[in-house]
Amino acid sequence: DGGPSRVLLIRHGQSEANLTGEDVPDTPLSDDGLVQASSWRHEIGRFGAEVVLVSPLRRAVQTACLAFQDTSTPLELCRCAREMWWDERANTPSSPAQMLELLKRLPRGGDVSG
């Protein structure tokens, strides 16, 4: 049917909330999480992703931009990829302005669409 023949799911690196146990809104990656996300960058291309659908949460966007920084794979924000525990503050997205500021500081941040 022309659709994808396989789907690769990658969990975000360790977030500040994972580290501290605090439920804070749209927590970014911890220092360890940044290292974890970056550790994918030399291997991720061999999986042959055609597109990366990214949750609109900071930790997921950071992970995708760091992991795919050496590729040209399209990066697209996808609300449907967001965590389903919406009553947790950690799963409350930042404002569009906050997301744009984050994207300015990330490798390939300017390539993220959606």
Side-chain angles (χ1 to χ4, degrees):
D1 70 335
S5 57
R6 61 187 166 153
V7 175
L8 172 67
L9 300 175
I10 299 175
R11 180 164 167 79
H12 59 78
Q14 179 189 57
S15 71
E16 289 291 336
N18 295 141
L19 179 64
T20 65
E22 294 180 34
D23 188 20
V24 294
D26 201 11
T27 183
L29 294 179
S30 67
D31 289 342
D32 283 345
L34 293 168
V35 170
Q36 292 166 348
S38 294
S39 72
W40 279 101
R41 73 184 279 199
H42 299 296
E43 299 295 325
I44 203 76
R46 69 185 179 94
F47 292 102
E50 295 177 27
V51 66
V52 179
L53 302 178
V54 186
S55 164
L57 296 172
R58 284 193 285 188
R59 60 192 180 262
V61 172
Q62 288 175 294
T63 298
C65 286
L66 292 168
F68 286 88
Q69 65 183 300
D70 296 331
T71 74
S72 59
T73 308
L75 304 171
E76 296 183 20
L77 293 179
C78 178
R79 288 184 55 82
C80 296
R82 196 175 126 212
E83 300 263 3
M84 297 299 290
W85 294 274
W86 293 347
D87 58 329
E88 293 181 15
R89 295 176 69 209
N91 298 326
T92 303
S94 297
S95 71
Q98 290 169 316
M99 180 58 70
L100 287 174
E101 281 302 311
L102 173 69
L103 290 171
K104 288 178 186 177
R105 299 187 310 265
L106 290 171
R108 300 219 38 225
D111 296 335
V112 176
S113 66

